[in-house]
């Protein structure tokens, strides 16, 4: 047989995040690798979806999502950030933020277009760009605050640069971009006439009184920004696959067509459940997310410090990168496998977030876990550190 897999497969590696989840299951460990929150779904959201099934909301929806959900997204966006969004023409409901970004890349990028990605990056951003034949170009941020300069951006821009991607709050770094940094990026994007893709899926997970600033809200940015978010993290419904794009009407139809072609629509009753959450949950629900997760962040950062695995304390999102240079192994992967075998706690090796070996002394833990699970993982880390580091 002369059949073989297509060329794209060579460029697309199996996600290390998924690999580690499989390894974790094999070893019966606590899975702090994948960004799956095991917290409770708000009852209004769950009930909304169940009711929608009973009410017969079971068919394909309009290609850009249910009216109820688009209207609820527009209202929520206005209340949260003051942005005016037209629910009829400027929102595309998608199969998660993942589907939104993939559809947007297909709709707006050509083969060979370069897209600037801040490093460390979320693996799917790089892989999805490569899958759509675009070329990621990296700007490395400097810890502990994951800073960068205008010169860093100027150094990588070429005639082929078509876009820049901002993930704020960021995975895996936990970086929350400041207004100053967003101004730097917006001036750069305007001068070089670039699209700005954003991934704001962790918009409600910000710590120490920081504020999430949607890049589209900066002067001159609305028209060129393809803002992506979703409800996976906010309502702990990662398996429901409900996300969305907010963008100028010039781009939304094209993005919607690709979203339709890839998966027709996000699951109809689950769109309704998400809409019920957006309609009925008040500001205190969203404020509480930051409060609750900040406690979890502090718990795991304390444990990592005690263990001798110095963390880069995250400003937002629900991951923490930490230093694993003291753990045996010649690569990040070997080090995290050592930790998994020793204490049965899984994390993601740092190489997964860099295009070269730069992450080999880092690992990422996800702290979106019930307190009992998180406390047990912390206890194991502390005990490992006290014996070995
Ligand atoms: N974007 C980032 C930065 C993420 O960390 C994740 C999940 O871990 C996603 C997107 C996936 O979002 P969704 O479930 O809406 O596809």
């Amino acid at each position: 047989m002369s059949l073989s897999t297509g060329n794209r497969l060579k460029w697309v590696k199996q996600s290390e995040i998924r690999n580690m989840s499989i390894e974790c299951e094999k070893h019966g460990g606590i899975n702090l690798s994948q960004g799956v929150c095991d917290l409770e779904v708000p009852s209004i959201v769950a009930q909304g979806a169940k009711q929608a099934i009973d009410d017969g909301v079971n068919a394909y929806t309009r290609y850009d999502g249910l009216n109820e959900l688009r209207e609820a997204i527009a209202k929520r966006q206005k209340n949260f950030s003051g942005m005016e969004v037209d629910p009829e023409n400027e929102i595309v409901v998608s199969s998660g933020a993942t589907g939104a970004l993939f559809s947007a890349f297909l709709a707006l990028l050509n083969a060979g277009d370069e897209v600037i990605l801040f490093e460390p990056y979320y693996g799917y951003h790089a892989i999805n760009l490569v899958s759509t034949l675009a070329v990621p170009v990296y700007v490395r941020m400097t810890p502990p605050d994951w800073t960068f300069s205008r010169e860093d951006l100027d150094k990588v821009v070429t005639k082929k640069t078509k876009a820049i991607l901002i993930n704020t709050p960021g995975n895996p770094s936990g970086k929350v971009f400041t207004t100053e940094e967003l101004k730097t990026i917006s001036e750069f994007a305007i001068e070089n006439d670039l699209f700005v893709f954003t991934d704001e899926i962790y918009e409600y997970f910000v710590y120490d009184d920081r504020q999430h600033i949607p890049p589209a809200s900066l002067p001159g940015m609305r028209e060129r920004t393809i803002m992506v978010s979703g409800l996976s993290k906010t309502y702990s419904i990662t398996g429901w696959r409900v996300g969305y794009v907010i963008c100028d009407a010039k781009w939304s139809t094209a993005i919607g067509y690709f979203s339709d072609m890839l998966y027709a629509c996000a699951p109809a009753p689950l769109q309704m459940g998400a809409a019920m959450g957006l309609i009925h949950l008040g500001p205190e629900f969203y404020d509480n997310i930051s409060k609750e997760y900040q406690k979890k962040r502090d718990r795991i950062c304390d444990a990592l410090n005690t263990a001798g695995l110095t963390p880069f304390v995250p400003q937002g999102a629900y991951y923490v990168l930490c230093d694993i240079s003291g753990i045996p192994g010649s690569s990040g992967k070997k080090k995290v496998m050592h930790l998994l075998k020793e204490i049965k706690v899984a994390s993601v090796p740092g190489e997964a977030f860099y295009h070269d070996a730069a992450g080999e002394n880092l690992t990422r833990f996800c702290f979106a876990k019930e307190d009992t699970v998180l406390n047990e993982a912390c206890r194991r880390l502390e005990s490992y550190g006290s014996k070995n580091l």
Side-chain angles (χ1 to χ4, degrees):
M1 187 168 79
S2 59
L3 293 173
S4 66
T5 51
N7 287 339
R8 280 186 182 81
L9 193 66
K10 292 191 199 98
W11 314 318
V12 176
K13 287 182 288 184
Q14 157 83 330
S15 147
E16 198 58 87
I17 299 172
R18 282 190 195 287
N19 285 343
M20 284 311 296
S21 294
I22 294 165
E23 290 293 343
C24 182
E25 212 172 305
K26 272 195 223 154
H27 289 82
I30 299 177
N31 190 355
L32 300 192
S33 57
Q34 204 160 17
V36 175
C37 28
D38 53 12
L39 307 185
E40 238 176 81
V41 179
S43 67
I44 185 86
V45 175
Q47 285 307 325
K50 289 177 198 165
Q51 190 62 47
I53 292 174
D54 289 343
D55 291 347
V57 186
N58 297 306
Y60 299 126
T61 69
R62 207 172 95 168
Y63 79 102
D64 53 356
L66 289 174
N67 287 343
E68 289 86 345
L69 180 54
R70 278 182 285 101
E71 277 161 21
I73 292 167
K75 258 197 200 134
R76 179 75 210 128
Q77 198 58 46
K78 169 89 177 137
N79 290 342
F80 180 47
S81 68
M83 267 172 69
E84 295 283 351
V85 181
D86 171 7
E88 188 58 25
N89 298 303
E90 294 186 322
I91 295 178
V92 178
V93 172
S94 57
S95 174
T98 309
L101 280 167
F102 206 84
S103 305
F105 295 162
L106 286 170
L108 304 177
L109 299 176
N110 290 315
D113 282 348
E114 293 176 1
V115 178
I116 298 172
L117 208 52
F118 289 99
E119 198 173 42
Y121 52 75
Y122 169 56
Y124 275 52
H125 291 155
I127 288 174
N128 287 358
L129 284 169
V130 169
S131 309
T132 55
L133 305 181
V135 181
V137 173
Y138 305 97
V139 167
R140 190 161 295 177
M141 300 187 289
T142 311
D145 286 334
W146 308 102
T147 45
F148 64 95
S149 67
R150 169 71 197 242
E151 291 71 51
D152 296 333
L153 300 175
D154 288 334
K155 258 187 242 157
V156 298
V157 74
T158 73
K159 283 201 182 79
K160 291 188 192 158
T161 312
K162 179 83 170 280
I164 182 164
L165 194 152
I166 309 171
N167 177 205
T168 184
N171 172 8
S173 64
K175 180 180 177 64
V176 176
F177 283 69
T178 64
T179 307
E180 263 325 294
E181 288 169 331
L182 293 176
K183 269 193 199 148
T184 301
I185 297 173
S186 72
E187 283 162 14
F188 171 77
I190 292 165
E191 277 168 38
N192 291 286
D193 200 20
L194 307 180
F195 278 118
V196 178
F197 295 109
T198 72
D199 181 337
E200 301 175 47
I201 192 96
Y202 298 103
E203 59 199 327
Y204 297 114
F205 300 72
V206 287
Y207 310 128
D208 310 316
D209 297 322
R210 285 187 179 79
Q211 244 199 319
H212 170 69
I213 303 152
S217 65
L218 270 77
M221 286 284 277
R222 181 71 162 81
E223 205 180 339
R224 65 180 64 252
T225 302
I226 312 301
M227 173 179 185
V228 168
S229 193
L231 286 319
S232 282
K233 315 287 175 173
T234 309
Y235 295 158
S236 306
I237 49 170
T238 51
W240 283 28
R241 315 310 305 130
V242 183
Y244 54 88
V245 180
I246 295 178
C247 65
D248 192 277
K250 275 206 280 289
W251 325 119
S252 59
T253 312
I255 295 171
Y257 284 164
F258 279 98
S259 171
D260 181 16
M261 249 183 278
L262 284 169
Y263 41 76
C265 64
L270 306 187
Q271 288 192 45
M272 195 58 97
M276 289 303 119
L278 289 168
I279 291 166
H280 295 291
L281 293 167
E284 60 293 343
F285 172 83
Y286 301 97
D287 293 344
N288 202 40
I289 292 177
S290 287
K291 284 197 199 113
E292 286 302 309
Y293 279 80
Q294 187 168 323
K295 283 187 222 149
K296 293 179 192 295
R297 178 202 66 170
D298 292 345
R299 174 72 185 99
I300 193 163
C301 286
D302 285 349
L304 291 169
N305 272 318
T306 306
L309 302 167
T310 310
F312 295 111
V313 178
Q315 304 165 348
Y318 53 52
Y319 307 93
V320 55
L321 284 171
C322 71
D323 175 21
I324 49 168
S325 50
I327 293 181
S330 56
S331 66
K333 181 68 184 271
K334 290 194 174 127
K335 288 170 194 275
V336 300
M337 284 306 297
H338 173 83
L339 207 55
L340 177 58
K341 282 176 195 153
E342 289 291 310
I343 61 167
K344 311 229 177 303
V345 175
S347 58
V348 181
E351 291 101 324
F353 311 110
Y354 286 88
H355 76 285
D356 56 17
E360 66 188 359
N361 281 317
L362 293 174
T363 191
R364 187 200 76 176
F365 292 98
C366 169
F367 54 85
K369 297 284 150 193
E370 295 276 11
D371 285 342
T372 45
V373 177
L374 187 63
N375 283 334
E376 176 56 22
C378 288
R379 198 194 55 70
R380 293 184 193 184
L381 285 163
E382 285 161 347
S383 142
Y384 175 84
S386 69
K387 284 187 210 134
N388 300 286
L389 296 170

